[in-house]
Amino acid sequence: MLRQRLRARSSRAAQLGRVVTVLVALALIWYGAMLVLLALKASPGSINSVSGYRTAFDFLTGLTPADAGSHTRLIVGLSGLAAFVVFGYLALTQLPRPYLARGDLRLAEGERGAVDVEPRAIERAAEAAALGRPGVVDAAGRYGGEDLTVNVTVGHARELPDLLRGVQRDVRAALDQHGLPPVAVDVTLTGLERTQRRELS
């Protein structure tokens, strides 16, 4: 059974990508509707008055090199550069990241040796902190080197955002209490187990 995941924080790049996707989809739907109307033998003049496709086509085909002045080339060049940067960044965020094997976290190093902490110890500290929050019935941590993901299962859906933020604060406090360096903590809801109530007769 697939579980729906709710994250306590969202990516700004993902939100920008959704906005771009919605705008492109609306444009395709709009001009797709214009094509359907043309296929149904609607008047091309009426369609052009609504969509302006023929007016734009005639304007673009009528351009000459003399029409492209220095200001026009500057605006077009800056627009192309901005589009390249934005869409290139969005495409880069969608590339799969290679999986790297986890290693021990080195806390200190001196003449007599080094102090290393295994990833599982960090995960256990995060899980214990999450389970200490009322309403959390199960927790599983995953330390990735630069971030710490904590998957939690709760017993009720009341005040869920506050509960996830509370787990995030507890995990950060536990890391600080154990002398571990601060890392990005991502709390994810992976399950909801409602408590069974029994009525005594």
Side-chain angles (χ1 to χ4, degrees):
M1 179 179 180
L2 297 178
R3 294 180 176 179
Q4 184 178 7
R5 297 189 172 186
L6 300 178
R7 296 188 179 273
R9 65 177 185 178
S10 58
S11 172
R12 294 182 179 179
Q15 295 176 357
L16 181 59
R18 294 190 187 99
V19 171
V20 174
T21 302
V22 170
L23 293 178
V24 173
L26 290 177
L28 292 176
I29 292 173
W30 174 255
Y31 281 96
M34 298 298 104
L35 291 176
V36 171
L37 293 177
L38 288 174
L40 295 177
K41 297 183 179 181
S43 173
S46 301
I47 300 300
N48 182 57
S49 63
V50 176
S51 62
Y53 77 99
R54 176 59 63 181
T55 302
F57 178 79
D58 293 339
F59 173 76
L60 293 176
T61 54
L63 291 177
T64 61
D67 296 326
S70 59
H71 290 85
T72 303
R73 290 194 297 269
L74 178 62
I75 294 174
V76 173
L78 292 178
S79 301
L81 179 62
F84 174 78
V85 172
V86 172
F87 292 112
Y89 174 73
L90 293 177
L92 185 62
T93 57
Q94 299 301 318
L95 294 178
R97 298 181 180 179
Y99 174 77
L100 300 178
R102 298 186 301 168
D104 295 343
L105 176 63
R106 177 152 296 181
L107 296 181
E109 185 176 5
E111 297 178 356
R112 298 185 178 181
V115 179
D116 294 337
V117 179
E118 293 185 358
R120 187 54 191 154
I122 302 175
E123 295 167 355
R124 288 293 297 167
E127 292 168 1
L131 291 173
R133 169 71 54 171
V136 178
V137 298
D138 191 18
R142 178 70 180 178
Y143 176 68
E146 297 181 355
D147 57 353
L148 176 61
T149 301
V150 182
N151 299 327
V152 296
T153 302
V154 301
H156 59 81
R158 298 188 303 271
E159 299 179 354
L160 186 57
D162 294 337
L163 178 60
L164 295 179
R165 284 192 288 266
V167 171
Q168 191 178 49
R169 289 193 299 267
D170 293 345
V171 171
R172 289 175 177 173
L175 295 179
D176 182 68
Q177 180 182 1
H178 290 84
L180 298 173
V183 295
V185 179
D186 186 12
V187 181
T188 304
L189 175 67
T190 56
L192 176 62
E193 294 182 3
R194 298 186 180 275
T195 56
Q196 299 294 332
R197 295 182 178 179
R198 297 182 180 181
E199 296 182 358
L200 300 178
S201 57

